[in-house]
Amino acid sequence: MPNFDDFQQANASFASSFQDGDKPMPPARKALVITCMDARIHPEKALGVAIGDIHVVRNAGGRAVDAVRSVTISQQLLGTEEIYVIHHTDCGMLTFSSDQLRGIVKERLGHEDHTHYHEFSDLEASVRDDVKLLKESALVRPGTAIRGGIYDVTTGKVAWLQ
Amino acid sequence: MPNFDDFQQANASFASSFQDGDKPMPPARKALVITCMDARIHPEKALGVAIGDIHVVRNAGGRAVDAVRSVTISQQLLGTEEIYVIHHTDCGMLTFSSDQLRGIVKERLGHEDHTHYHEFSDLEASVRDDVKLLKESALVRPGTAIRGGIYDVTTGKVAWLQ
């Protein structure tokens, strides 16, 4: 694994100056951020949060549909009260259809694939859809404050939706 | 939303000195990390990776079962080749059962809940189970190098499993 030695070395250096070993399990800021797995997003840096501050859920696209299990645990067991859904410019989810990807899986891996990959064609609509999904979910606390935003990978700026 | 102003201010400051606006969509290090949403884990810091380097998927526990859709997109469309599954000490997933949480949901939200919350009682076994799930998944490229590890929230150190 080409990156393993680098990760191991970097982690040893990180641990050697680690000073946050006393933080409790519940997030200090009582907030949860849902965002994309994209390599260009470092959510803690982009929002200025410290170790122990917020829960971060990430998946392809930052889709809420994959996040409900985590949100329920975060709210009901660990006391988070606010949710931020942040998608981003130049997202891979804008570049393919589930049909196309199922075709690629069939061709390369030799399996029939029935996955819905939850791609989208309109970035702002995808954020609004995910905020709505969470607001309407039977497993999300009614009245939870949920805010959507779009991270610009070229500027590092989050544009918050109204 | 109590954190909103802080996040907005911190992001403005982050963006004002942002210099990584030219990174391409595919992760430079061709690696994907799956880890927990826990607030005490800042994966990029802990592994010493830069903006644009790796995909990061996070959910409650860092469970692979929620990550397969993202792994498929990451491998088939964005060229990642290695996967690291990192669970951690003092994980919330060690502290409850799905039955208990369904009871809490029923009591507080008034809904019957049939979610499997994917909690675990043995930390090392949960990592090995998730590595196995990925290795055996029809949607993960055969032969993918997958390594499991446990992050110690008190020391910042990752112990890699053999």
Side-chain angles (χ1 to χ4, degrees), chain B residues 2 15 40 42 58 71 105 126 131 139 155 160:
Chain B
R40 295 164 293 181
H42 286 201
R58 300 180 66 177
V71 170
V105 166
S126 75
V131 169
L139 295 173
T155 65
W160 298 101

Side-chain angles (χ1 to χ4, degrees), chain B:
Chain B
M1 301 181 84
N3 290 293
F4 181 69
D5 287 350
D6 280 358
F7 288 172
Q8 204 172 22
Q9 229 165 350
N11 179 249
S13 151
F14 171 76
S16 73
S17 62
F18 187 74
Q19 296 191 318
D20 295 295
D22 58 347
K23 306 281 178 175
M25 190 189 297
R29 285 174 172 270
K30 296 182 192 293
L32 167 71
V33 169
I34 301 172
T35 193
C36 186
M37 68 178 175
D38 193 283
R40 295 164 293 181
I41 307 175
H42 286 201
E44 291 89 350
K45 249 193 197 165
L47 298 175
V49 302
I51 285 178
D53 271 358
I54 64 168
H55 276 159
V56 180
V57 171
R58 300 180 66 177
N59 61 52
R63 299 315 312 254
V65 64
D66 269 10
V68 174
R69 176 184 72 87
S70 301
V71 170
T72 310
I73 292 171
S74 178
Q75 290 199 319
Q76 298 303 332
L77 300 179
L78 292 158
T80 59
E81 292 170 358
E82 302 170 83
I83 303 176
Y84 297 84
V85 176
I86 304 175
H87 295 181
H88 66 97
T89 61
D90 196 38
C91 186
M93 303 297 279
L94 292 158
T95 66
F96 72 98
S97 72
S98 282
D99 257 0
Q100 285 169 339
L101 184 44
R102 284 182 213 119
I104 290 172
V105 166
K106 170 92 174 133
E107 190 193 309
R108 295 188 191 158
L109 304 183
H111 299 290
E112 286 299 336
D113 174 17
H114 304 283
T115 308
H116 191 325
Y117 284 98
H118 301 299
E119 72 276 15
F120 43 78
S121 56
D122 180 323
L123 187 53
E124 191 175 318
S126 75
V127 177
R128 294 198 191 281
D129 287 349
D130 282 5
V131 169
K132 188 161 177 278
L133 184 150
L134 293 170
K135 282 195 183 287
E136 292 175 353
S137 169
L139 295 173
V140 176
R141 193 189 294 129
T144 299
I146 308 179
R147 184 96 191 218
I150 294 173
Y151 178 81
D152 186 327
V153 296
T154 68
T155 65
K157 218 169 160 51
V158 180
W160 298 101
L161 302 187
Q162 293 307 316

Side-chain angles (χ1 to χ4, degrees), chain A residues 1 3 6 11 29 37 39 44 46 52 54 56 58-60 66 69-70 76 82 90 108 111 117 138 156 158, chain B residues 1 3 11 25 29 37 39 44 46 52 54 56 58-60 66 69-70 76 82 108 111 117 138 156 158:
Chain A
M1 300 181 83
N3 290 292
D6 280 357
N11 179 250
R29 286 175 171 269
M37 67 177 175
E44 290 90 351
I54 64 168
V56 180
R58 301 180 64 176
N59 60 52
D66 269 10
R69 175 183 73 87
S70 301
Q76 299 302 332
E82 304 169 83
D90 196 38
R108 295 189 192 158
H111 299 291
Y117 284 98
V158 181
Chain B
M1 301 181 84
N3 290 293
N11 179 249
M25 190 189 297
R29 285 174 172 270
M37 68 178 175
E44 291 89 350
I54 64 168
V56 180
R58 300 180 66 177
N59 61 52
D66 269 10
R69 176 184 72 87
S70 301
Q76 298 303 332
E82 302 170 83
R108 295 188 191 158
H111 299 290
Y117 284 98
V158 180

Side-chain angles (χ1 to χ4, degrees), chain A residues 15-34:
Chain A
S16 73
S17 61
F18 187 72
Q19 295 191 319
D20 295 294
D22 58 349
K23 306 282 179 175
M25 192 190 294
R29 286 175 171 269
K30 297 182 190 294
L32 166 72
V33 169
I34 301 171

Side-chain angles (χ1 to χ4, degrees), chain A residues 2-161:
Chain A
N3 290 292
F4 181 69
D5 288 349
D6 280 357
F7 289 172
Q8 204 171 22
Q9 226 164 353
N11 179 250
S13 151
F14 171 75
S16 73
S17 61
F18 187 72
Q19 295 191 319
D20 295 294
D22 58 349
K23 306 282 179 175
M25 192 190 294
R29 286 175 171 269
K30 297 182 190 294
L32 166 72
V33 169
I34 301 171
T35 192
C36 186
M37 67 177 175
D38 194 284
R40 295 164 294 182
I41 307 177
H42 286 201
E44 290 90 351
K45 248 194 199 165
L47 299 175
V49 302
I51 285 179
D53 271 357
I54 64 168
H55 277 158
V56 180
V57 172
R58 301 180 64 176
N59 60 52
R63 299 315 311 253
V65 65
D66 269 10
V68 173
R69 175 183 73 87
S70 301
V71 170
T72 309
I73 292 170
S74 178
Q75 290 198 319
Q76 299 302 332
L77 301 179
L78 292 159
T80 58
E81 293 170 356
E82 304 169 83
I83 303 175
Y84 296 84
V85 176
I86 305 175
H87 294 179
H88 66 96
T89 61
D90 196 38
C91 186
M93 303 296 277
L94 292 157
T95 66
F96 72 97
S97 71
S98 282
D99 257 0
Q100 285 170 339
L101 184 44
R102 284 182 213 120
I104 290 171
V105 165
K106 170 92 174 133
E107 191 193 309
R108 295 189 192 158
L109 304 182
H111 299 291
E112 285 301 333
D113 174 16
H114 303 284
T115 308
H116 191 326
Y117 284 98
H118 300 298
E119 72 276 16
F120 43 78
S121 56
D122 180 324
L123 186 52
E124 192 176 317
S126 74
V127 177
R128 295 197 191 279
D129 287 349
D130 282 5
V131 169
K132 187 160 177 279
L133 184 150
L134 293 170
K135 282 194 185 286
E136 293 175 353
S137 169
L139 294 172
V140 176
R141 193 189 293 130
T144 300
I146 308 177
R147 183 95 192 217
I150 294 172
Y151 179 81
D152 186 327
V153 296
T154 67
T155 64
K157 218 170 162 47
V158 181
W160 298 101
L161 302 188

